[in-house]
Amino acid sequence: MSQKTNRGQWGSRFGFIMAAAGSAVGLGNIWRFPYLAGENGGSAFVLIYLFFVIVMGISLMTTEFALGRRAGVSAVGSFKNLDRRWTFVGVIGVLTAFIIMGFYPVVGGWSLAYMFKSITGLMSTPDTAAFFGNFVSSSMEPLLWMLIYMILNIFIVVRGVSGGIEAASKVLMPVLIVLLIFVAVYGMTLDGSFAGVEFLIKPDFSAVTWDSVLSALGQAFFSMSLGMGAMLTYGSYLKKDQSLPGNAGLVSGLDTFVALLAGFAIFPALFAFGVEPTSGAGLVFMVVPQVFSNISGIGAILSFFFFSALTVAALTSSVSLLEVVTSYLIDEHGINRKKATLAVAVAMTILSTLASLSQGVLSDVSILGASFFDAFDIVTDKIFLAVGGVLIAIFAGWVVKKEDLISEVTNEGTKPFALVNVWYAIVKYAIPLVVGVVAVMGIINIQQRALMIAGLAIIAILAVFSKKL
Ligand code: PHE
């Protein structure tokens, strides 16, 4: 039952851009990008990441917008309505959104907690790394913050597309950008910070492995919300007169700008303070408070604003993840928005509780060789998004009729798109080939092989059984 009636539409072009950019810009840019760059040798990782964004990402985003707007329904319906055998691509997307929400709210909760900690003692701690470690491993406290974060998500999504998501997207994004610029500029004035700039711009390809290439690809897709139907779903709410490549370029540009800005905010300060680039998932939570604690007087308030803005950036991303699953239940199963949102959120909360506790009391429990937190992260980022991206590109390039896709992308020929042939060739040939090779090589070379095999098995099972969904 894929119905087109009674669906919201974006209030304005600005609203759509803010919402799509809101989905893209999030913890992926500010929390994840810097620590992955740190773990994978810096500049070479950044360059590979930029390659994937510019060559594959923008094209794939345009494609997702086009598929979504053409179908006018959310991810699963968009595939199913054209060819039932492809339903599983939408279903993989729904599952991916679900599992990302198994760890994303944990970090969202950390950010929320740090908002309040900024004004209650974080600034006077002598050791921000130990502070972070004690906090996340304390089990109950981070769990409570995660639950509050989850409740905020539910509120926004229950209110529906243009009421909730759009309004929340518009406010704090500029604040975040201004504060990142502030931290970057301030960081660069510190002694020893130049090593951080070098780390980001002087390529050292000796640290590059297939695993890090796959990480860069996964990060590009994760950061741009690609490969799982989020942008496709957002495109389904988009009006027919909007330029798809134009919007994709703008959203991608903004997303990449914020990620690079976060890199320049973190690394100069990190080198100045002598923190290890490979310190992992706590990086922003260690470096940023340390920068602000250097600024006596207003440091606490700046830190409070930084983490408020980060929390809002995270929320505008996680609501899009929740929306992918919720809109599936609404469009395909006729469930009402409120019920759908609550049911999905409860299930996600169970997963994220496991991930949250895996930093504390459940740290000894492993699934297929990784903690719950890492397992949810690895399986989505390194398998589902990459495979999802390849499948979406194959679907667009080989299943959808060329005239139909091109007509959607050019608004029935009324908005000419100069690079239309290049774009089409990238979608039809380059993404399946390049992303496919990176995924296969990455999966062969990665340490957590058991997880990879499990992920692929799930995809295979879905491919066989999801025709009925
Ligand atoms: N792009 C978001 C971020 O960078 C995360 C996300 C991934 C959101 C996939 C939606 C879909 O934080």
Side-chain angles (χ1 to χ4, degrees), residues 283-298:
L283 216 55
V284 228
F285 295 95
M286 301 171 188
V287 173
V288 168
Q290 193 153 351
V291 168
F292 286 130
S293 68
N294 260 6
I295 305 170
S296 58
I298 54 166

Side-chain angles (χ1 to χ4, degrees), residues 23-29 100 104 222-225 228 230 317 320-321:
S23 167
V25 176
L27 296 171
N29 308 57
I100 293 179
Y104 206 90
F222 182 88
S223 185
M224 300 170 85
S225 308
M228 39 79 67
S317 301
S320 78
L321 291 159

Side-chain angles (χ1 to χ4, degrees), residues 143-317:
L143 183 62
L144 281 177
W145 286 109
M146 183 211 88
L147 292 174
I148 301 174
Y149 180 84
M150 217 41 220
I151 291 169
L152 293 173
N153 276 276
I154 298 172
F155 269 123
I156 299 173
V157 173
V158 164
R159 289 179 56 201
V161 168
S162 68
I165 299 176
E166 206 169 323
S169 306
K170 284 180 190 170
V171 195
L172 273 167
M173 208 62 74
V175 173
L176 184 67
I177 291 178
V178 171
L179 282 174
L180 281 171
I181 294 176
F182 175 86
V183 175
V185 172
Y186 183 86
M188 286 178 207
T189 65
L190 299 169
D191 273 352
S193 63
F194 191 69
V197 178
E198 266 186 346
F199 183 76
L200 281 175
I201 60 177
K202 211 163 139 198
D204 167 17
F205 284 95
S206 66
V208 175
T209 60
W210 277 112
D211 187 12
S212 57
V213 177
L214 179 58
S215 291
L217 171 75
Q219 174 60 18
F221 283 9
F222 182 88
S223 185
M224 300 170 85
S225 308
L226 293 176
M228 39 79 67
M231 288 303 178
L232 195 150
T233 305
Y234 273 23
S236 75
Y237 299 111
L238 194 54
K239 294 190 178 124
K240 286 286 183 190
D241 60 351
Q242 301 272 314
S243 154
L244 301 183
N247 280 314
L250 211 65
V251 171
S252 309
L254 196 64
D255 185 67
T256 310
F257 170 71
V258 176
L260 293 176
L261 200 56
F264 282 101
I266 300 289
F267 286 102
L270 174 141
F271 276 86
F273 296 139
V275 179
E276 281 300 319
T278 52
S279 301
L283 216 55
V284 228
F285 295 95
M286 301 171 188
V287 173
V288 168
Q290 193 153 351
V291 168
F292 286 130
S293 68
N294 260 6
I295 305 170
S296 58
I298 54 166
I301 210 75
L302 292 180
S303 176
F304 173 80
F305 277 123
F306 179 87
F307 287 106
S308 312
L310 182 59
T311 304
V312 171
L315 275 171
T316 56
S317 301

Side-chain angles (χ1 to χ4, degrees), residues 384-430:
F384 287 0
L385 294 182
V387 174
V390 169
L391 291 170
I392 292 173
I394 294 178
F395 179 78
W398 300 85
V399 179
V400 177
K401 277 210 215 81
K402 184 174 180 185
E403 308 88 78
D404 289 353
L405 193 67
I406 290 190
S407 149
E408 190 64 51
V409 149
T410 57
N411 299 357
E412 264 91 56
T414 60
K415 263 218 166 76
F417 169 30
L419 294 174
V420 72
N421 290 324
V422 178
W423 163 75
Y424 193 75
I426 289 177
V427 173
K428 186 162 181 153
Y429 304 106

